[in-house]
Amino acid sequence: MDYEFWKDLHDRGGIPAVKSALADLPEDLPPQEAGAAAELALKVIEDDIARINARADEAEARAQALAEQTAEVNRRLTDHAARDADEAP
């Protein structure tokens, strides 16, 4: 069971699939091998969490940029409306 095994399993079924596979490891598996399998499974999950966090950060940055653009458009509309009101007869 290498990293790719756990990654493929995670890609197909997410964390529940990895957890299930860990639970299904043979009881007679040597402790060192079981520990290595658990470490690789954890690494796959950590990598996925890092990917999700990076996407969330990107989405937050996009939302912030849109909020700033919306505020600028609102400011311009308000300025334009004020100028129109000043110029009205």
Side-chain angles (χ1 to χ4, degrees):
M1 289 178 248
D2 61 0
Y3 180 86
E4 290 304 316
F5 167 82
W6 293 105
K7 181 162 178 15
D8 182 56
L9 189 64
H10 181 271
D11 289 347
R12 288 186 282 126
I15 292 173
V18 172
K19 184 178 177 183
S20 177
L22 283 170
D24 291 342
L25 288 176
E27 289 186 26
D28 62 346
L29 191 64
Q32 192 172 17
E33 288 182 38
E39 284 182 35
L40 288 170
L42 180 60
K43 176 68 175 144
V44 167
I45 292 169
E46 288 172 344
D47 290 349
D48 190 46
I49 291 169
R51 181 189 59 79
I52 290 168
N53 285 338
R55 289 183 68 193
D57 290 345
E58 291 169 7
E60 185 177 346
R62 284 193 306 269
Q64 180 63 34
L66 287 172
E68 290 169 4
Q69 290 173 3
T70 301
E72 177 61 20
V73 167
N74 188 41
R75 185 191 62 76
R76 288 181 183 185
L77 287 172
T78 301
D79 289 350
H80 184 71
R83 277 195 309 271
D84 285 349
D86 290 343
E87 294 173 3

